[in-house]
Amino acid sequence: MTTITQGHAAQDHAHDSHGPGHGLSRWLFTTNHKDIGTLYLVFALVMLFIGGAMALIIRAELFQPGLQFVNPEFFNQMTSMHALIMVFGMIMPAFVGFANWMIPMMIGAPDMALPRLNNWSFWILPFAGTILLSTLFMEGGGPAAGWTMYPPLVLQSGNSLAFAIFAIHLLGMSSILGAINIIVTVMNMRAPGMTLLKMPMFVWTWLITAYLLILVMPVLAGGVTMLLTDRFFGTSFFQAAGGGDPVLFQHIFWFFGHPEVYIIILPSFGIISQIIPAFSRKPLFGYSSMVYATAGIAFLSCIVWAHHMFTVGMPLAGEMFFMMSTMLIAIPTAVKVFNWTATMWRGSLSFETPMLFAVAFLFLFAIGGFSGVMMAIAPVDFQYHDTYFIVAHFHYVLVPGALFAAIGGAYFWLPKWTGHMYDEKLGKIHFWLSAVSVNILFFPQHFLGLAGMPRRIPDYATQFADWNAVSSIGAFVFGFSQLMFVYIVVKCVRGGAKATAQVWDNPEGLEWTVPSPAPYHTFDEPPLVR
């Protein structure tokens, strides 16, 4: 759904506070929400390719049994760094970029509430990312214990562990500052008449996500700080030899780690809730139920963490509680899927590139959701645990889920951001290449996991060879087809057909109208919210 499509250009100049000069200093000192949104999105795109290159090293090594390209230690560093880069360096900054660009426009605010903080929370990121990547070049290499950084594995890492933990602190700090900014903006800067239950779904999902971030990020910070003192200062929080408990770290990590998954997916839900009504040419079905479902998901995500730990030997009552609460989270998620489907039902549908990504999201995210319900069943999870079935499950949630939503959102709002239309034909080719290859990449991993292939191994038994080869071919096609996305975006930014005020051809009556010369924060009538 296009938000307010006219009149904002005039504001660009009024609210540009680019600091001294132009060129480089404009980007360094900017407090303009659009510039900062662009910086976040460009940073995320760069990190996508760095993290993606690591994934391709992993898949190249796994193409055949035996050790081909890298030694096992470097392989483990790649699996750990790939995850940390993709989660903290790519997908979260991408969604913060969307939030920066769109939230002020969607609620009729002139800018974010705390513009200098906004600048700072972005500029922490490139330095944090550089520190994290630099661990690969230190003696002993980067952390090689998975992104979960479980002790005792991580406590055998070299001195680079201190730098990795520092980088994680910085990345978390950036997220918390961004979340504070979003909450203050949404709570204090809505246009008159824009009550909470009239806000677009994207704003709602980000408001709830921001509260989640502030709740769980400090927990991760505490956990990694305890790791740091165990490794360098002689404490024994997680070392059994000194009276500590490695399972304690799992509780701390997953109390952060599970809500983190929803921190990633809720803004995706928001983007999909904007795209589907626009191309169905209908209001979003069940708006208030979508808001409550989002809040329900966020609440439940904080009480299900130990489903990652069914195999640590917890009491039966604990297993039952975490099994039931995990299954409960399927209900608000299903409400969302049904509402998106109902929005499309008997709508006047058209399938431009953003809609294709949104529909693919719907199908493929549902696959990730169903396999999640399978893994919620505690006795069965003993079989799935730490196999490739888990890898298939969470990649179905995060790649055709979060990444497809981000790409769909980029196509959806590119005309608004640049004033130009992207190349629709190339966009559709990019979609089909991505949608087909992502399934060739991840679907076979379900079979591998059910057959018993463990995750995080550089070598494997020969019976797993065929599906691994298929998966690796899918990975390379998917990875290289994202270069096409960069080409489409650059081509769109540099020029192309001018975007009209009604980019996505909304029928009259559904287009949001803005009384033109009036500035955003003084309308008597708020924009129509579907």
Side-chain angles (χ1 to χ4, degrees):
M1 157 173 48
T2 41
T3 47
I4 302 161
T5 47
Q6 295 167 327
H8 226 276
Q11 267 194 285
D12 273 348
H13 301 297
H15 296 288
D16 272 2
S17 34
H18 292 316
H22 290 290
L24 185 63
S25 63
R26 164 186 167 179
W27 295 103
L28 282 173
F29 303 117
T30 180
T31 50
N32 178 298
H33 71 100
K34 299 174 182 177
D35 284 354
I36 294 169
T38 303
L39 286 169
Y40 269 110
L41 290 163
V42 170
F43 174 78
L45 197 58
V46 171
M47 283 303 195
L48 174 68
F49 283 96
I50 294 172
M54 292 173 176
L56 293 186
I57 291 169
I58 294 166
R59 285 314 323 170
E61 181 55 61
L62 292 172
F63 184 71
Q64 286 182 311
L67 295 175
Q68 269 76 241
F69 302 106
V70 295
N71 64 36
E73 185 65 16
F74 185 72
F75 180 90
N76 289 340
Q77 290 169 27
M78 285 292 97
T79 54
S80 310
M81 295 294 281
H82 162 69
L84 289 169
I85 292 285
M86 287 304 205
V87 170
F88 295 111
M90 187 266 140
I91 200 72
M92 288 169 70
F95 287 134
V96 178
F98 281 111
N100 261 299
W101 251 105
M102 300 312 302
I103 287 177
M105 292 199 253
M106 286 180 159
I107 63 172
D111 203 299
M112 296 295 277
L114 308 164
R116 293 191 201 185
L117 185 77
N118 205 9
N119 175 290
W120 190 45
S121 55
F122 169 75
W123 280 111
I124 293 170
L125 281 179
F127 295 97
T130 306
I131 292 168
L132 187 57
L133 286 168
S134 71
T135 59
L136 291 171
F137 303 99
M138 294 176 189
E139 191 183 351
W147 83 289
T148 53
M149 298 174 291
Y150 282 173
L153 271 178
V154 82
L155 298 178
Q156 297 163 8
S157 298
N159 292 336
S160 67
L161 179 66
F163 288 88
I165 286 174
F166 182 50
I168 289 164
H169 274 301
L170 289 175
L171 292 161
M173 191 161 86
S174 168
S175 294
I176 289 172
L177 296 178
I180 290 169
N181 209 346
I182 286 165
I183 291 171
V184 176
T185 305
V186 172
M187 288 313 213
N188 294 320
M189 298 184 69
R190 300 192 305 278
M194 166 113 16
T195 58
L196 284 173
L197 281 174
K198 284 184 179 173
M199 297 193 307
M201 268 314 297
F202 179 71
V203 183
W204 256 118
T205 53
W206 244 118
L207 180 64
I208 291 167
T209 301
Y211 280 108
L212 263 187
L213 268 168
I214 291 170
L215 176 70
V216 303
M217 270 297 173
V219 179
L220 175 69
V224 294
T225 305
M226 290 153 86
L227 272 183
L228 189 78
T229 59
D230 270 14
R231 172 69 181 78
F232 297 102
F233 297 102
T235 57
S236 294
F237 292 112
F238 311 128
Q239 303 203 61
D245 185 358
V247 175
L248 171 63
F249 180 78
Q250 292 197 31
H251 280 289
I252 294 170
F253 180 85
W254 287 116
F255 183 80
F256 148 80
H258 198 78
E260 167 63 24
V261 179
Y262 290 94
I263 287 165
I264 291 170
I265 207 69
L266 287 180
S268 310
F269 290 169
I271 292 172
I272 298 301
S273 300
Q274 302 298 127
I275 294 175
I276 287 180
F279 295 96
S280 306
R281 293 166 177 79
K282 274 175 66 187
L284 181 67
F285 180 89
Y287 168 85
S288 54
S289 66
M290 289 291 251
V291 173
Y292 297 128
T294 309
I297 289 169
F299 170 72
L300 289 169
S301 76
C302 297
I303 58 167
V304 298
W305 77 88
H307 65 212
H308 295 268
M309 300 165 53
F310 281 146
T311 56
V312 302
M314 68 174 80
L316 194 60
E319 283 182 21
M320 290 293 285
F321 172 81
F322 287 106
M323 179 168 88
M324 298 301 186
S325 58
T326 305
M327 289 184 165
L328 206 57
I329 214 165
I331 297 169
T333 313
V335 166
K336 288 185 162 296
V337 173
F338 285 127
N339 282 7
W340 288 322
T341 311
T343 305
M344 291 191 284
W345 176 249
R346 302 186 74 174
S348 174
L349 294 171
S350 63
F351 293 96
E352 286 87 352
T353 311
M355 185 61 163
L356 290 173
F357 275 101
V359 174
F361 168 95
L362 218 54
F363 277 101
L364 302 176
F365 174 76
I367 293 175
F370 285 130
S371 60
V373 173
M374 290 171 68
M375 289 179 307
I377 305 166
V380 195
D381 185 70
F382 283 108
Q383 304 300 318
Y384 304 140
H385 187 79
D386 267 344
T387 68
Y388 257 78
F389 191 84
I390 306 280
V391 179
H393 155 72
F394 72 74
H395 279 90
Y396 259 93
V397 173
L398 294 181
V399 182
L403 184 61
F404 271 29
I407 294 172
Y411 279 120
F412 184 53
W413 283 311
L414 260 176
K416 180 170 196 58
W417 296 341
T418 63
H420 303 291
M421 278 305 291
Y422 62 87
D423 187 322
E424 185 65 57
K425 189 176 177 187
L426 287 180
K428 285 185 170 153
I429 294 169
H430 170 232
F431 166 75
W432 285 110
L433 274 172
S434 299
V436 172
S437 60
V438 84
N439 286 292
I440 296 170
L441 164 54
F442 293 120
F443 207 81
Q445 294 179 7
H446 291 103
F447 309 147
L448 290 167
L450 292 176
M453 178 172 163
R455 56 193 280 209
R456 294 177 177 156
I457 51 166
D459 189 12
Y460 53 85
T462 49
Q463 69 261 33
F464 304 128
D466 293 353
W467 285 123
N468 266 302
V470 171
S471 184
S472 290
I473 290 165
F476 277 87
V477 176
F478 181 75
F480 283 103
S481 59
Q482 301 321 305
L483 292 168
M484 196 170 174
F485 176 59
V486 178
Y487 173 75
I488 294 166
V489 170
V490 171
K491 185 180 170 194
C492 176
V493 171
R494 291 181 129 186
K498 282 270 182 254
T500 60
Q502 289 182 300
V503 184
W504 301 119
D505 181 32
N506 283 331
E508 216 175 335
L510 281 185
E511 176 63 39
W512 289 13
T513 51
V514 177
S516 207
Y520 277 91
H521 39 292
T522 57
F523 328 138
D524 297 323
E525 285 297 310
L528 161 71
V529 176
R530 301 174 175 189

